[in-house]
Amino acid sequence: MSDDTTEDLHAEALEALRRLVDSADASFHDGQFEAIETLVRGRSRALVVQRTGWGKSAVYFVATLLLRRRGTGPTILVSPLLALMRDQVAAAERAGVRAASINSANPLEWNDILARLRSDELDVLLVSPERLNNPRFRDEQLPALMARVGLLVVDEAHCISDWGHDFRPDYRRLRDLIAGMPVGVPVLATTATANERVVHDVEEQLGSGGVGVLTIRGPLARKSLRLGVLRLPDAATRLAWLLSHLGDLPGSGIIYALTVSAAEDTARLLREAGHAVRAYTGQTDPAEREESERLLKENRVKALVATSALGMGFDKPDLAFVLHLGAPSTPVAYYQQVGRAGRASDRADVLLLPGPEDQAIWQYFATSSMPDEAKATAVLDELAHEGGPLSTVALEARVDIRRSRLELLLKVLDVDGAVARVQGGWLSTGLPWRYDAERYGRIAEARTREQQAMIAYETTTGCRMEFLQRELDDPAAAPCGRCDNCTAPWYPTDVAAQASASADAAMNRVGVLVEPRAQWPSGMDKLGLGLRGNIARDDRLEPGRVLARLTDLGWGGPLRALFATGTPDAEISPSLADACVRVLADWEWETRPAAVVAMPSRSRPLLVASLARTISEVGRLPLLGSLALTAAAPSGDGGNSAYRLAGVAESFMVEPELAESLAALDGAPILLVDDLVDSRWTITVAGRLLRRAGAGPVLPFALAARA
């Protein structure tokens, strides 16, 4: 406990707050000063659960200023997203707080930032949770930082809890960091999206070592938000509604979509209709994402059409609306996203347009932070056998796990203490690891309940804000008096005829480019295959086409149904056949294919054969037949790139009759027909075989691509 009296500290903190918000008559919200006093005067730990816009950043910036005046070291602020970091650095500068961030977007600045830290010229260092386990940062810089840290802040603290809606394994590492904090160093955790279960989990991790934690929890209702749900029959009608009414919405806002392709397709359609919008996804170039954020903040675009990549931390206080084309999988995630709107305005419109395909998309994207026991054991066995560090790339060549899943699994094993990230890769610690099936089962059940709750939100006849508050265990949950159920629908429901025509045309678009593979995966020699480096130019495919991606708004729906587990094999439907013919008609190839070759299929032989036959007949191209399956049949479509290639590398052959037909074409292009493109290794291997058997350029065509 410091010598400050509550009255003196309040006056000093209030002066700092007013400078931060640039208002001479600003005052603290309920709970803000209590949190600041806990950190500065009590040098203790606090968890703040308050609605978006309440002023959680004011707590840690004011506390930082006051602690620095009292001779403490800098604040370390763990922040999850680049957009959030940019906004926080800008907010700190307005308050006279010297702040900088170390993240993946500014590696050229790291040395200068660390030099400023060593010379005590920084008050706040923002780091991503992933950076905490970078071997160089963790081993060389972090110990010195933690020895002189004045305050540790964990923003978006629900990410600590694997019960949270946005759990990240790297956040669990904070538990050990907090446990090792010097005595008397305050810790602050903040979030706007935590139910009681998550609150208790975070409290437990903050209170390691028996340290007390003050939890300050306020009402989560957002009085400015006017919630509504408009159920329309299909994706085309939802797009038509958007085309009809986007211009009528006030100000600027965010339109959320569930998939990258949906965001990009919707943005393109809106731009073609004259609306100033941009797509914003995890695949958008970082510089373009930063520019898009700036344009939205300056109201120079009507909306960003975004995936969940634009979520936590985007700070535009006057954001006027948030629309959702399709529902997130949990009410808590929905609350977090709509919380971007109306932070500094009297009203903001929030409308959900759910779709019948939402649940299929939730299932399609269901990626778990929970490890698979067999795959975890395989990773641990390989690391133990090696006896030294293995890079992720080298490990990928030894275990049948895709890169993204492998990286996530390694993080989970790391925070569980079974592996360690070191210079050169990953190392087994030798500590025993037990698969906690009961715990992971409970979490999976919770995820299912959350999806059911999201559907209940869509159909409730009660207050929508109250529903979201109850999902967050807010004791102050009460009817809002503003949503479409408390009053009446505030949104139009009509759709303009021209908008319907435009949306139908957009939904009926066909054709997606398939880029050819140009390089073999690393480590194929470990799997007994002498494939390395670049694929020889004469062995490569040409750019190909698919009708659509499974995640697309238009044809993605019928294709998802076609490829769903349990759908029986059948000949291609007339509508899909017509759409495929349109793709081929629009294909601007340099030289028209001279013949068609089909891929062999064990799961959908009728579908592939009928598709190849239809293309042959309509295009008046000879159907040369199919490649043949060898005894080494394809091993399935799971696993990482190296294993997927290994699974098909020796699975096909060109029989003599087909080889003779290819040779007779004298090097003319052929069209290689398949049902589904995923890793592209199946068609890559087949194309290489065909080229070596005498075929000319090989152009792949398939019904669908996974993403």
Side-chain angles (χ1 to χ4, degrees):
M1 182 76 69
S2 72
D3 294 333
D4 299 291
T5 66
T6 296
E7 293 76 14
D8 290 342
L9 188 66
H10 187 279
E12 185 181 2
L14 185 61
E15 180 271 332
L17 173 73
R18 289 173 174 173
R19 191 165 74 249
L20 172 68
V21 300
D22 193 25
S23 173
D25 57 356
S27 58
F28 286 115
H29 296 146
D30 287 346
Q32 280 183 314
F33 177 70
E34 288 79 0
I36 293 169
E37 184 177 31
T38 297
L39 301 171
V40 177
R41 188 162 176 257
R43 305 293 172 97
S44 190
R45 298 178 181 179
L47 168 61
V48 173
V49 183
Q50 296 281 1
R51 66 183 181 274
T52 303
W54 172 83
K56 294 181 286 293
S57 61
V59 171
Y60 49 72
F61 284 138
V62 170
T64 293
L65 278 172
L66 272 54
L67 286 166
R68 292 288 277 164
R69 291 174 186 172
R70 286 153 179 77
T72 70
T75 291
I76 297 178
L77 171 56
V78 181
S79 184
L81 293 179
L82 296 183
L84 182 57
M85 286 188 177
R86 287 191 287 268
D87 287 337
Q88 287 169 325
V89 169
E93 290 174 351
R94 290 194 299 270
V97 178
R98 300 166 297 178
S101 66
I102 290 181
N103 57 63
S104 59
N106 66 345
L108 296 179
E109 301 173 20
W110 292 354
N111 287 336
D112 290 341
I113 291 170
L114 292 170
R116 291 175 63 194
L117 270 172
R118 285 191 293 271
S119 58
D120 204 27
E121 296 174 5
L122 274 183
D123 301 313
V124 178
L125 176 67
L126 294 91
V127 297
S128 66
E130 293 78 12
R131 183 60 34 195
L132 295 176
N133 201 39
N134 173 274
R136 183 182 173 192
F137 182 82
R138 182 196 63 211
D139 299 335
E140 297 178 14
Q141 281 107 27
L142 189 59
L145 279 174
M146 296 309 296
R148 52 190 289 263
V149 63
L151 169 66
L152 176 67
V153 179
V154 181
D155 208 3
E156 305 298 345
H158 58 269
C159 295
I160 289 179
S161 173
D162 53 12
W163 298 100
H165 76 276
D166 195 32
F167 167 68
R168 298 181 179 207
D170 285 295
Y171 259 80
R172 283 181 58 197
R173 199 169 286 113
L174 289 166
R175 174 184 55 198
D176 297 330
L177 186 68
I178 292 169
M181 294 280 289
V183 175
V185 175
V187 180
L188 170 68
T190 68
T191 181
T193 51
N195 56 24
E196 281 297 327
R197 185 176 56 211
V198 173
V199 166
H200 292 154
D201 197 0
V202 176
E203 286 175 336
E204 182 179 340
Q205 297 191 47
L206 283 180
S208 58
V211 179
V213 177
L214 172 68
T215 297
I216 298 173
R217 185 167 189 174
L220 299 177
R222 294 288 307 282
K223 294 182 179 180
S224 62
L225 300 185
R226 188 167 61 158
L227 302 175
V229 175
L230 176 58
R231 301 180 70 84
L232 296 171
D234 50 43
T237 309
R238 295 198 300 276
L239 285 177
W241 185 94
L242 193 58
L243 286 168
S244 301
H245 299 294
L246 178 59
D248 301 330
L249 293 170
S252 56
I254 300 172
I255 302 166
Y256 279 108
L258 293 185
T259 68
V260 170
S261 56
E264 293 174 344
D265 291 347
T266 301
R268 183 183 65 234
L269 174 63
L270 292 173
R271 283 196 303 270
E272 290 172 352
H275 295 286
V277 301
R278 294 172 70 127
Y280 187 110
T281 76
Q283 296 181 17
T284 306
D285 180 78
E288 184 179 342
R289 289 168 69 171
E290 188 170 355
E291 181 185 23
S292 294
E293 294 168 20
R294 177 176 56 80
L295 292 174
L296 183 60
K297 289 177 181 179
E298 296 173 356
N299 294 316
R300 293 169 59 189
V301 293
K302 181 67 175 179
L304 297 185
V305 187
T307 62
S308 58
L310 183 66
M312 294 182 296
F314 179 74
D315 186 15
K316 177 176 166 58
D318 63 341
L319 195 76
F321 63 87
V322 171
L323 304 183
H324 278 77
L325 296 179
S329 60
T330 77
V332 178
Y334 183 65
Y335 174 87
Q336 187 270 323
Q337 289 178 354
V338 303
R340 300 295 101 215
R343 297 175 61 178
S345 57
D346 293 333
R347 195 194 81 186
D349 292 335
V350 172
L351 184 62
L352 170 63
L353 291 87
E357 72 278 8
D358 291 352
Q359 293 180 66
I361 294 175
W362 298 343
Q363 185 63 34
Y364 180 79
F365 282 113
T367 56
S368 175
S369 57
M370 299 172 288
D372 176 274
E373 184 175 11
K375 294 187 183 300
T377 300
V379 168
L380 293 173
D381 287 347
E382 286 294 336
L383 290 174
H385 176 74
E386 181 69 16
L390 278 175
S391 69
T392 304
V393 173
L395 191 55
E396 184 182 22
R398 303 187 184 198
V399 293
D400 189 9
I401 311 173
R402 294 194 197 190
R403 176 75 60 85
S404 58
R405 289 293 185 98
L406 176 59
E407 290 173 342
L408 180 60
L409 175 57
L410 286 165
K411 288 179 179 180
V412 171
L413 293 173
D414 185 8
V415 296
D416 283 348
V419 304
R421 189 179 177 194
V422 298
Q423 293 290 348
W426 297 90
L427 189 69
S428 171
T429 63
L431 297 176
W433 181 80
R434 182 181 65 85
Y435 181 75
D436 193 343
E438 181 182 357
R439 172 170 169 262
Y440 296 130
R442 290 199 312 270
I443 295 172
E445 290 173 3
R447 297 287 182 260
T448 300
R449 288 195 299 271
E450 288 165 349
Q451 293 179 9
Q452 294 168 345
M454 191 67 224
I455 296 170
Y457 171 81
E458 297 170 11
T459 57
T460 184
T461 57
C463 173
R464 298 196 190 277
M465 180 59 76
E466 182 180 18
F467 185 101
L468 294 177
Q469 288 179 269
R470 291 195 185 283
E471 283 300 308
L472 285 158
D473 297 320
D474 182 0
C480 69
R482 296 176 305 282
C483 72
D484 56 353
N485 284 341
C486 283
T487 55
W490 48 265
Y491 39 82
T493 59
D494 62 296
V495 173
Q498 181 57 47
S500 289
S502 297
D504 287 340
M507 296 291 289
N508 206 27
R509 277 197 179 111
V510 295
V512 175
L513 177 68
V514 177
E515 293 284 1
R517 289 277 193 179
Q519 193 169 33
W520 301 113
S522 300
M524 294 308 298
D525 56 324
K526 302 285 187 183
L527 298 175
L529 295 170
L531 302 172
R532 65 172 61 195
N534 293 329
I535 300 174
R537 186 65 191 87
D538 289 344
D539 286 344
R540 288 186 204 172
L541 295 169
E542 300 302 308
R545 299 289 188 279
V546 295
L547 168 59
R549 294 162 294 212
L550 292 179
T551 55
D552 283 350
L553 285 173
W555 286 100
L559 290 171
R560 284 194 298 273
L562 179 66
F563 290 100
T565 302
T567 301
D569 182 32
E571 294 199 351
I572 190 167
S573 68
S575 61
L576 284 174
D578 290 344
C580 290
V581 170
R582 286 198 290 127
V583 176
L584 297 171
D586 294 341
W587 196 335
E588 297 178 352
W589 35 49
E590 294 182 7
T591 304
R592 189 174 186 269
V596 176
V597 174
M599 286 295 300
S601 175
R602 291 182 181 273
S603 59
R604 300 182 189 88
L606 287 175
L607 179 65
V608 177
S610 62
L611 174 60
R613 185 178 66 250
T614 298
I615 293 172
S616 169
E617 293 171 352
V618 173
R620 297 179 181 177
L621 301 171
L623 178 58
L624 304 185
S626 170
L627 286 95
L629 285 168
T630 67
S635 62
D637 60 359
N640 63 34
S641 190
Y643 272 84
R644 298 179 95 180
L645 171 56
V648 298
E650 298 177 349
S651 299
F652 312 108
M653 63 181 179
V654 178
E655 294 185 317
E657 184 178 351
L658 177 57
E660 290 176 11
S661 299
L662 293 171
L665 294 175
D666 197 24
I670 66 164
L671 194 70
L672 177 63
V673 176
D674 204 356
D675 55 353
L676 180 66
V677 172
D678 190 357
S679 68
R680 291 171 289 158
W681 286 124
T682 297
I683 55 174
T684 298
V685 167
R688 180 174 182 250
L689 284 171
L690 291 169
R691 291 304 305 269
R692 293 189 170 193
V698 177
L699 300 103
F701 175 77
L703 278 172
R706 284 207 182 273

